[in-house]
Amino acid sequence: MGMSKVKVLFVCLGNICRSPLAEGIFKKKVEEKGLADRFVIDSCGTSNYHIGEQPDRRTIKNALANGVRLNHQGRQFTVQDFNDFDYIVAMDSSNVQNIEKLRPVGSDKQIMLMRSFDEAGLNKDVPDPYYGVENGFQEVFDILDRSIEGLVNHVVLEKGL
Ligand code: 4NP
């Protein structure tokens, strides 16, 4: 009987900028801690805009410049994700609202806000860089890097890893 894996899902709107980057950063951090085999890590979007697509080229480029390689095919959040994942982490409050619309009857799963782990901007939205300027991508990287450091520590403590 093997130990069951901890399942973490990151959610944004398009699943081509913020949430695939969060997935990549979380993967890198747990690899560095030697905990990669204890996790299933995924990301998705609440919209259907970019299903099947790789992350935005600007996100891929900025991630690589920070030592994070991304490889993800866009997919849409589904009702099933409520049951499949232990942690569902949304990038902003509109993502939380969109997720809540799909909550199955009887589910009490907590939807977490990514920046509930960011002391430098507690519970603020992770800004959407899609229509913004180039340095918006580095700002998002720095926010996610701080937030995910806190999230990993939280999960490691809560799950006793
Ligand atoms: P993301 O950014 O939610 O961080 O992936 C967006 C990407 C695409 C769109 C919106 C947000 N879009 O409207 O196509």
Side-chain angles (χ1 to χ4, degrees):
M1 196 189 84
M3 278 236 260
S4 68
K5 300 196 189 221
V6 180
K7 298 183 177 177
V8 183
L9 181 65
F10 296 98
V11 186
C12 63
L13 176 60
N15 194 212
I16 54 171
C17 292
R18 294 165 294 174
S19 64
L21 179 59
E23 175 191 341
I25 293 172
F26 192 98
K27 280 181 177 166
K28 186 179 183 195
K29 287 187 187 294
V30 297
E31 279 165 14
E32 286 169 352
K33 292 177 188 291
L35 293 171
D37 66 334
R38 307 299 310 277
F39 286 93
V40 171
I41 307 155
D42 195 9
S43 67
C44 65
T46 58
S47 78
N48 62 6
Y49 305 154
H50 299 282
I51 292 172
E53 294 179 24
Q54 283 288 312
D56 186 286
R57 67 184 68 244
R58 299 163 297 176
T59 296
I60 292 174
K61 183 180 168 196
N62 181 258
L64 266 183
N66 288 276
V68 177
R69 199 169 57 191
L70 303 183
N71 180 22
H72 177 77
Q73 282 208 342
R75 75 165 179 90
Q76 190 171 19
F77 182 85
T78 74
V79 175
Q80 193 58 37
D81 289 318
F82 264 99
N83 301 319
D84 285 350
F85 286 88
D86 301 302
Y87 296 93
I88 299 175
V89 186
M91 296 300 122
D92 67 33
S93 58
S94 74
N95 306 146
V96 174
Q97 286 184 319
N98 289 328
I99 292 167
E100 288 293 347
K101 290 178 196 158
L102 296 175
R103 179 181 291 278
V105 174
S107 167
D108 61 355
K109 176 126 325 129
Q110 184 199 164
I111 309 303
M112 300 170 114
L113 209 46
M114 182 79 270
R115 294 187 80 179
S116 63
F117 298 98
D118 183 9
E119 287 170 13
L122 199 60
N123 292 335
K124 290 172 82 171
D125 291 344
V126 179
D128 186 345
Y130 188 66
Y131 296 108
V133 292
E134 184 69 30
N135 73 3
F137 288 84
Q138 187 59 43
E139 185 195 357
V140 166
F141 187 95
D142 293 336
I143 289 168
L144 289 179
D145 195 57
R146 285 198 305 270
S147 303
I148 292 167
E149 191 70 28
L151 172 63
V152 170
N153 290 335
H154 171 85
V155 172
V156 164
L157 271 174
E158 193 164 72
K159 296 293 181 181
L161 301 178

